[in-house]
Amino acid sequence: MAVIGSVDPAAYEAWYYTRRGRWIGEREATLLLELIKPARGQSLLDVGSGTGYFSRRFAAGGLAVTGIDPDPAMLDYARTLSGPVEYLVGRAERLPFADNSFDYVAAVTSLCFINTPEAALQEMWRVSRRGIALGLLNRHSLLYLRKGGRGGYAGARWDTWSELARWITRLRPPAAAPKHKTAILWPKGGMLAQSLDAPMGAVLPWGGFLAAYIPRRL
Ligand SMILES: C[S@@+](CC[C@H](N)C(=O)[O-])C[C@H]1O[C@@H](n2cnc3c(N)ncnc32)[C@H](O)[C@@H]1O
């Protein structure tokens, strides 16, 4: 969940290596992997992969990862970074893959830049065999109260779990029961905030990062 700002790929990626960025990136990746619970060697398509921070992190977790993004500059930069990830230019709304091509499809703070999220979700659903993992910006959060719609978050849509739950009910074929959690409850991320984020995020739904896993009925 780096802010998008001017979208200079190197600056975007560099945020993940700031003190706050390291914490947020790792917390979000860990939460998504906890929700997905993948097995080593399974495949994952990372939609809106940007500079590939999460693609590489998923690959480090043992997944065979393909990243796709409409921005060639982001992908050119991602290819300069080490990690066994293949990157392709493309959009969530029209994925150049056959049905059920990947075990999992993930979209981390990319669906929030897409004007037709339901259609994009259905397209991601089409190419996934096991399920979809999403990282969204949570409108019911302190981060939204502090930053909503301003600064580097300008242009992004902030969603809620109830909106996402409604989209999920309209997926075809129907999904199995989804799971969701939030993270990044206190966005400044001091030591106390960092140590309390996982235990409090397990019970409080107000983190700025809304993570969801939508499993297929197998
Ligand atoms: C905030 S960045 C997130 C990048 C990466 N997932 C991360 O979390 O660091 C949003 C990304 O969504 C991509 N994006 C925008 N519209 C898209 C679309 N229609 N389909 C797929 N990706 C899109 C942008 O190019 C950008 O790389």
Side-chain angles (χ1 to χ4, degrees):
M1 187 176 55
V3 295
I4 196 92
S6 61
V7 201
D8 167 60
Y12 182 88
E13 178 70 15
W15 179 84
Y16 282 112
Y17 299 91
T18 61
R19 186 193 60 81
R20 185 165 169 266
R22 272 181 205 279
W23 168 58
I24 291 179
E26 186 53 30
R27 174 84 181 95
E28 293 175 350
T30 303
L31 178 58
L32 288 166
L33 287 168
E34 279 171 11
L35 288 172
I36 305 172
K37 293 194 193 343
R40 290 193 83 76
Q42 289 181 320
S43 58
L44 180 144
L45 177 68
D46 184 12
V47 173
S49 51
T51 55
Y53 174 86
F54 286 95
S55 309
R56 293 189 306 280
R57 182 63 182 75
F58 294 143
L63 287 157
V65 180
T66 304
I68 189 161
D69 198 286
D71 185 339
M74 286 289 217
L75 295 180
D76 284 347
Y77 186 79
R79 290 186 189 105
T80 68
L81 303 172
S82 63
V85 179
E86 188 189 352
Y87 294 103
L88 302 169
V89 176
R91 309 188 75 85
E93 300 89 327
R94 191 171 177 162
L95 295 169
F97 305 107
D99 296 359
N100 310 313
S101 291
F102 298 88
D103 288 307
Y104 304 101
V105 176
V108 189
T109 53
S110 51
L111 199 64
C112 52
F113 290 96
I114 297 175
N115 293 332
T116 53
E118 273 198 74
L121 205 57
Q122 181 63 50
E123 178 65 350
M124 291 191 262
W125 193 238
R126 180 183 70 76
V127 304
S128 73
R129 271 192 293 277
R130 293 174 183 274
I132 301 181
L134 298 174
L136 301 176
L137 293 172
N138 184 11
R139 199 159 75 238
H140 292 167
S141 65
L142 288 180
L143 186 65
Y144 181 72
L145 290 179
R146 276 188 64 221
K147 291 276 189 183
R150 294 189 303 275
Y153 296 94
R157 187 187 60 253
W158 293 69
D159 296 312
T160 64
W161 165 246
S162 52
E163 285 159 353
L164 175 59
R166 209 167 37 247
W167 302 340
I168 293 171
T169 62
R170 295 200 277 255
L171 284 172
R172 292 294 173 269
K179 297 182 277 186
H180 73 286
K181 276 188 185 169
T182 73
I184 322 302
L185 283 153
W186 298 278
K188 282 192 178 166
M191 294 290 279
L192 189 63
Q194 292 191 23
S195 59
L196 289 178
D197 202 69
M200 297 305 278
V203 285
L204 298 177
W206 302 308
F209 184 74
L210 170 60
Y213 178 60
I214 312 162
R216 276 187 169 266
R217 294 181 186 178
L218 294 177

